[in-house]
């Protein structure tokens, strides 16, 4: 009997050992980041102008009706996840506050609550809008960009409301207080923007979905099927949710008389730059698509595996992409897509990719190459694109229908970036 018990224990131990080995094998450690160009694996990018069944795409019509939907579907299925909902018919916009003497008398300010399902206590976001005074008689073109820490952090304007914010590490909600007012203002040169005739709108990304690996909050649960508690492997993650929020912001701006709804550019920084590219890909009402330092999962080519890798990003931020994307951890070469295809989904609209010299984590060269390789689609659609496979020098923007710059400095949004975005909008939408 004793021997039998002992062998049972041994078998148990053996099973446990095999089990833990299987778990370990299942989750191999993330390789340390590579920063050496000579160590980039050999790769071939998927051809934008070849359908999955091998058919060549040689005209604009085939791009528009066949290949573009196919590429969009690839990103939905394997990367960002399908956006499971559109605009609710019950959505409402409530003006919470407005003033025509904001920013020292230069701007009109508006704070609008976008109630996603029309409910007062339901999910929604607060959109902060500054428009030039001239917008009262002539609707202004606009930039829309989500912020990371709450609307009150984008300016020292004391009238900007304090909302709820969510801790990125714990997911804990807290009421914002005066201490952080203006904390991110260097990224939001509102006066400079309205002085050039543009309106600018922002909302806190946490209003749409708190940036935390938890799918019980934000907008996801609104759209679950009965019994569902987590998005399916091909359904939207957090980036998909934020992109959806940008489209709801656009709905609001298009209903506002101060804004020229056909001239709204979507902008985003970093994880929100990944988001602006995805929002612009799905929602063709955005007139211009701009990503600032968006890196891995944004403009940077995944196959270069330099700086942040697919494995790294999926491990640090398991909630950003759909679960199917995890199949490509340390396996980028098998992806049926790469990020030049995301940039190309903006076509034929103007698209701008920006990098920062010290932002190696985001792989500036990979960001440039995506913009460059998207060019085949722009040319097919009769638009000029980036001509050189080599990056321009720092602080030397290139502006065709595809625009690009790498500026000096670190991962950030600076006045230089904003000035270039306005130059680009002047060029493509006409000076306001
Ligand atoms: C991290 C992450 C990046 C992301 C950035 C940000 O650095 O690895 O992918 O762009 O955060 O959003 O600030």
């Amino acid at each position: 009997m004793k021997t039998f018990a002992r062998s049972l224990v041994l078998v148990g131990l053996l099973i446990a050992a095999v089990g833990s080995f299987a778990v370990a094998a299942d989750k191999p450690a993330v390789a340390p980041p590579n920063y050496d160009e000579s160590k980039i694996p050999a790769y071939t990018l998927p051809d934008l102008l070849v359908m999955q069944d091998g058919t060549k795409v040689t005209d604009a019509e085939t791009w528009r009706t066949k290949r573009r939907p196919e590429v969009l579907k690839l990103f939905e299925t394997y990367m960002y996840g399908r956006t499971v909902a559109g605009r609710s018919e019950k959505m409402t916009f409530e003006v919470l506050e407005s003033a025509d003497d904001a920013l020292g008398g230069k701007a009109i300010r508006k704070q609008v609550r976008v109630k996603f399902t029309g409910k007062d206590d339901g999910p929604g976001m607060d959109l902060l809008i500054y428009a030039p005074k001239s917008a009262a008689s002539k609707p202004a073109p606009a930039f829309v960009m989500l912020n990371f820490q709450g609307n009150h952090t984008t300016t020292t304007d004391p009238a900007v409301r304090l909302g709820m914010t969510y801790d990125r590490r714990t997911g804990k909600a807290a009421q914002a207080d005066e201490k952080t007012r203006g904390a991110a203002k260097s990224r939001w040169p509102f006066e400079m923007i309205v002085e050039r005739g543009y309106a600018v709108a922002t909302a806190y990304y946490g209003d749409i979905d708190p940036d935390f690996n938890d799918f019980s909050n934000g907008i996801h649960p609104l759209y679950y099927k009965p019994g569902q508690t987590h998005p399916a492997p091909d359904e939207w993650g957090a980036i998909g949710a934020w992109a959806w929020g940008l489209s709801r912001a656009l709905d609001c701006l298009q209903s506002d008389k101060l804004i020229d709804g056909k001239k709204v550019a979507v902008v985003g920084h970093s994880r929100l730059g990944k988001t602006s590219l995805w929002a612009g890909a799905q929602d063709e009402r955005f007139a211009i698509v701009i990503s600032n330092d968006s890196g891995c999962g944004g403009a940077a080519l995944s196959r270069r595996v330099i700086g942040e890798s697919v494995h790294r990003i999926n491990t640090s931020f398991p909630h950003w992409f759909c679960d199917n994307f995890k199949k490509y951890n340390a396996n980028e070469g098998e992806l049926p897509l790469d990020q030049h295809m995301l940039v190309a989904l903006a076509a034929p609209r103007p698209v701008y990719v920006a990098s920062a010299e010290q932002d190696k984590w985001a792989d500036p060269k990979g960001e440039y190459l995506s913009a460059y390789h998207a060019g085949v689609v722009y040319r097919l659609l009769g638009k000029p694109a980036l001509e050189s496979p080599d990056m321009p020098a720092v602080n030397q923007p290139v502006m065709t229908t595809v625009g690009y710059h790498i500026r000096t400095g670190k991962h950030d949004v600076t006045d230089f970036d904003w000035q270039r975005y306005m130059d680009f909008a002047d060029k493509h939408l006409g000076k306001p």
Side-chain angles (χ1 to χ4, degrees):
M1 206 49 205
K2 248 184 176 172
T3 341
F4 179 67
R6 204 175 294 140
S7 33
L8 264 188
V9 170
L10 275 179
V11 169
L13 281 176
L14 199 68
I15 291 173
V18 170
S20 62
F21 176 76
V23 168
D26 221 29
K27 289 200 185 284
V30 177
N34 170 44
Y35 289 106
D36 180 348
E37 286 280 328
S38 72
K39 296 206 176 104
I40 291 178
Y43 66 85
T44 312
L45 292 178
D47 192 329
L48 264 163
L49 299 183
V50 177
M51 301 277 305
Q52 291 221 283
D53 68 3
T55 316
K56 289 217 161 74
V57 179
T58 54
D59 59 89
E61 173 72 10
T62 310
W63 166 259
R64 180 84 224 145
T65 58
K66 299 216 167 72
R67 180 61 171 155
R68 188 183 191 282
E70 184 175 81
V71 170
L72 192 62
K73 181 115 189 111
L74 290 174
F75 281 102
E76 285 176 347
T77 311
Y78 298 108
M79 196 164 178
Y80 304 104
R82 206 159 36 80
T83 300
V84 305
R87 168 189 180 148
S88 160
E89 277 169 22
K90 295 189 187 136
M91 182 169 68
T92 54
F93 311 122
E94 185 193 336
V95 179
L96 301 175
E97 188 270 346
S98 69
D100 61 7
D101 59 351
L103 306 180
K106 290 186 188 118
I108 302 170
R109 180 188 59 241
K110 248 182 165 178
Q111 299 183 74
V112 185
R113 176 149 306 159
V114 179
K115 297 178 187 171
F116 296 140
T117 55
K119 290 199 192 123
D120 287 339
D121 60 347
M125 66 182 170
D126 286 355
L127 199 61
L128 167 66
I129 306 169
Y130 287 107
K133 294 276 256 194
S134 57
S137 50
K138 183 175 181 270
F143 292 94
V144 60
M145 173 163 157
L146 297 175
N147 67 69
F148 284 92
Q149 292 164 276
N151 292 349
H152 69 290
T153 64
T154 64
T155 169
T156 50
D157 183 344
V160 174
R161 299 164 55 91
L162 300 167
M164 294 299 283
T165 55
Y166 301 86
D167 188 294
R168 271 196 236 163
R169 264 145 223 100
T170 61
K172 248 178 90 185
Q175 173 65 45
D177 60 31
E178 289 295 337
K179 276 188 260 159
T180 49
R181 188 179 292 285
K185 70 174 194 291
S186 68
R187 291 182 173 180
W188 300 90
F190 291 136
E191 292 196 28
M192 183 177 91
I193 299 170
V194 296
E195 274 166 8
R196 282 188 56 169
Y198 289 96
V200 52
T202 186
Y204 171 51
Y205 78 146
D207 278 0
I208 308 158
D209 186 23
D211 190 357
F212 188 65
N213 187 16
D214 170 4
F215 284 94
S216 67
N217 55 17
I219 58 158
H220 294 96
L222 267 188
Y223 301 102
Y224 284 154
K225 297 187 191 81
Q228 191 177 2
T229 54
H230 194 275
D234 68 341
E235 286 179 351
W236 54 354
I239 291 177
W242 300 326
W244 177 91
L246 281 166
S247 286
R248 303 297 70 84
L250 180 57
D251 294 337
C252 179
L253 295 174
Q254 288 193 326
S255 76
D256 196 312
K257 289 196 175 66
L258 295 173
I259 308 295
D260 183 342
K262 292 207 160 61
K263 294 186 176 175
V264 178
V266 61
V267 193
H269 170 61
S270 209
R271 67 198 70 184
L272 296 173
K274 314 180 203 301
T275 304
S276 61
L277 287 169
W278 181 227
Q282 295 178 96
D283 190 337
E284 294 184 84
R285 295 175 302 162
F286 289 113
I288 297 184
V289 183
I290 302 168
S291 84
N292 190 86
D293 305 357
S294 59
C296 179
L301 291 175
S302 300
R303 279 173 173 75
R304 282 170 47 83
V305 202
I306 193 160
E308 187 171 28
S309 66
V310 169
H311 197 180
R312 179 73 270 159
I313 204 167
N314 276 332
T315 307
S316 308
F317 308 101
H319 57 297
W320 283 2
F321 302 90
C322 71
D323 283 349
N324 277 343
F325 193 44
K326 299 191 172 79
K327 292 182 195 152
Y328 303 97
N329 287 348
N331 188 25
E332 289 84 352
E334 291 303 311
L335 269 167
L337 50 83
D338 214 318
Q339 300 309 99
H340 61 309
M341 297 160 77
L342 181 65
V343 177
L345 287 173
R349 294 162 297 162
V351 66
Y352 199 102
V353 172
S355 310
E357 198 181 16
Q358 291 169 29
D359 189 15
K360 304 276 186 237
W361 184 239
D363 183 19
K365 186 169 176 190
E367 293 177 324
Y368 178 78
L369 286 174
S370 265
Y372 168 72
H373 287 295
V376 291
V377 173
Y378 279 85
R379 287 191 196 92
L380 183 73
L381 303 182
K383 302 282 182 187
L386 299 172
E387 268 156 34
S388 172
D390 300 319
M391 295 171 76
V394 285
N395 302 332
Q396 300 291 319
V398 190
M399 295 195 191
T400 65
T401 307
V402 182
Y404 178 83
H405 74 239
I406 175 165
R407 61 157 170 78
T408 42
K410 60 181 178 56
H411 186 72
D412 200 358
V413 191
T414 66
D415 284 4
F416 179 92
D417 297 316
W418 275 110
Q419 282 156 358
R420 300 299 78 74
Y421 303 152
M422 290 189 280
D423 295 346
F424 193 63
D426 282 356
K427 179 176 162 123
H428 293 289
L429 304 177
K431 259 194 178 154

